[in-house]
Amino acid sequence: MRFLNLRVQDFRNVEFAELDLSANRTFLLGANGQGKSNLLEALGLVTALRSFRTQSMSALPRQGCDGSFAAVYEIEHDVEGRTELELHAGKSGRSVKIDGERVSRLGDFIGRFPVVPLSSGDLMLLRGSPAERRRFVDLTLSAIDPSYYHALRNYHRGVAERNRLLKKGGSAAELSAFEAEIAPHAVAVSTKRRAEMQRLREVLIAVYADIAELDEGPELEFKVNAACPDVESVSRMLHDGRKRDEIMGSTQKGPHRDDFNLSLSIGGAKEYASDGQQRGLCVALRIAQARIFQERLGLTPVLLADDVLGELDPYRKAGFWRACPPELQIIATGTELPEASSEWAIWKVANGQFTR
């Protein structure tokens, strides 16, 4: 897919903007704090109605307006052809329309318009908490597999209810009822994660080989918190852990505590990799995500590169272009013109305004 046009109103520092984005390469040029990242953030909402910069949608409306924002996207979709996507969000909730028809369930929307953001914040996939990495995994898998999204949602609902019972001293019968509900969803989530993380590992290794100057032995290790091979095993695990979980006030074992680790031949990337190697790994992980989207969805995602190309050393920058599928539309930002700038459509950004 590719973006053709964007109209956005009252988003971050942008009062109103309309941009022609039909070029294969578009570059947003301007000083820091002018609105470049804000525009990419607006574009990034189309995959799962989630910002790649914050978990709080309340931070997105422009300060001083009525607390809501709107965005209208014209998209050339690989399957559906030319499509208009309309998004409104504010204090009263959010609404999504595709070609004028309202979409009422996120499960019917997520992954339909795949984009992949690359930003300096991706370093948190390496340096941050396990929750950051689980969000990456869950968004990737939810976008390519609706059954995973539904299993994950039901699993988290069940765990939240079990945690509520643990804190208030629920009866054994009440706990058993929720554990019976949780178990099949835990099995589904765990099974799908294992399979898809193995594929992500394979793609990541191939992508990083294109980016890195030498064979640095990249590795992705999926760290399962608790084996969930079947419903009976999960039910027994939850039952046997009740006393511990009652003391802790929450469910201590299960897919909600899975993690993954990135490493190189020298050791764990978080502890031993150089800054350039860490950035290269994070870029490789995002390009691997794009390739997975392309492979599983049969759709060409859009790459949103938020000032990351300027942070790569010359070899890794060249490696980015080697690893990046040439058919992907790229919308990038930076404070200086990119190399081969004649190949890019340039928009200048200042104080939330965009000019050619």
Side-chain angles (χ1 to χ4, degrees):
M1 62 164 257
R2 63 191 303 109
F3 290 106
L4 300 177
N5 187 273
L6 169 68
R7 299 193 304 275
V8 62
Q9 182 174 353
D10 290 334
F11 187 89
R12 294 287 196 178
N13 74 327
V14 181
E15 183 175 0
F16 178 81
E18 180 169 6
L19 286 80
D20 176 357
L21 299 173
S22 57
N24 196 44
R25 302 282 185 266
T26 297
F27 195 84
L28 308 178
L29 174 67
N32 292 326
Q34 300 304 303
K36 305 184 304 295
S37 299
N38 295 342
L39 194 91
L40 289 196
E41 185 178 24
L43 293 171
L45 295 175
V46 303
T47 296
L49 302 181
R50 175 184 291 182
S51 165
F52 65 83
R53 300 169 70 197
T54 178
Q55 295 183 54
S56 174
M57 291 288 280
S58 64
L60 303 185
R62 184 173 60 90
Q63 292 185 4
C65 69
D66 63 359
S68 65
F69 70 86
V72 179
Y73 313 81
E74 290 183 29
I75 296 169
E76 186 65 41
H77 196 271
D78 298 334
V79 175
E80 301 176 36
R82 192 161 185 147
T83 305
E84 182 178 88
L85 169 63
E86 186 175 346
L87 169 63
H88 293 266
K91 296 177 181 178
S92 59
R94 61 193 180 194
S95 67
V96 177
K97 292 181 180 179
I98 299 176
D99 290 333
E101 294 188 11
R102 186 181 179 89
V103 178
S104 57
R105 298 185 301 178
L106 180 59
D108 296 332
F109 176 81
I110 188 169
R112 195 164 169 178
F113 303 97
V115 300
V116 173
L118 296 86
S119 72
S120 59
D122 289 339
L123 285 171
M124 294 304 292
L125 294 173
L126 248 173
R127 302 172 182 173
S129 69
E132 296 279 351
R133 292 181 284 278
R134 281 193 298 272
R135 275 193 289 272
F136 171 84
V137 171
D138 289 337
L139 175 59
T140 304
L141 271 59
S142 294
I144 64 176
D145 185 351
S147 66
Y148 178 85
Y149 167 77
H150 292 297
L152 180 71
R153 182 184 62 177
N154 290 328
Y155 172 74
H156 280 301
R157 284 178 176 174
V159 169
E161 286 299 321
R162 184 176 186 267
N163 290 345
R164 183 181 61 80
L165 288 173
L166 291 168
K167 290 174 182 176
K168 79 167 191 176
S171 68
E174 288 176 312
L175 286 168
S176 293
F178 279 107
E179 289 164 2
E181 179 182 326
I182 291 169
H185 301 307
V187 173
V189 168
S190 182
T191 301
K192 292 176 185 294
R193 274 186 187 168
R194 285 199 307 272
E196 296 299 341
M197 290 301 287
Q198 175 60 28
R199 179 57 185 151
L200 181 64
R201 171 188 173 273
E202 294 168 357
V203 177
L204 172 70
I205 291 172
V207 170
Y208 193 77
D210 285 333
I211 292 178
E213 188 172 6
L214 302 171
D215 181 7
E216 298 177 345
E219 188 57 76
L220 185 155
E221 178 191 7
F222 182 45
K223 302 167 70 175
V224 177
N225 172 262
C228 300
D230 53 62
V231 170
E232 182 180 351
S233 299
V234 175
S235 297
R236 184 167 56 250
M237 175 189 73
L238 293 171
H239 179 273
D240 293 347
R242 285 181 187 174
K243 286 189 177 180
R244 175 201 61 225
D245 293 349
E246 285 174 352
I247 293 171
M248 300 300 294
S250 63
T251 304
Q252 296 298 298
K253 286 189 175 182
H256 60 292
R257 291 181 176 268
D258 287 348
D259 195 4
F260 70 85
N261 181 58
L262 294 170
S263 64
L264 299 173
S265 56
I266 57 174
K270 178 180 178 180
E271 296 82 9
Y272 298 105
S274 69
D275 185 72
Q277 288 173 323
Q278 289 185 352
R279 292 181 188 279
L281 267 172
C282 291
V283 168
L285 188 62
R286 286 298 191 182
I287 295 179
Q289 183 186 38
R291 289 191 180 181
I292 292 290
F293 283 166
Q294 199 167 10
E295 177 183 292
R296 294 294 306 278
L297 294 171
L299 302 173
T300 304
V302 177
L303 286 185
L304 307 176
D306 190 16
D307 210 16
V308 295
L309 299 182
E311 296 174 343
L312 299 176
D313 61 58
Y315 191 90
R316 286 184 172 83
K317 189 181 297 185
F320 169 84
W321 294 113
R322 286 193 298 271
C324 183
E327 64 273 19
L328 268 59
Q329 184 186 35
I330 298 177
I331 302 173
T333 71
T335 57
E336 298 179 354
L337 284 170
E339 297 176 10
S341 60
S342 62
E343 299 176 5
W344 294 77
I346 308 294
W347 284 90
K348 297 178 182 178
V349 188
N351 197 28
Q353 297 183 343
F354 300 78
T355 57
R356 298 300 290 264

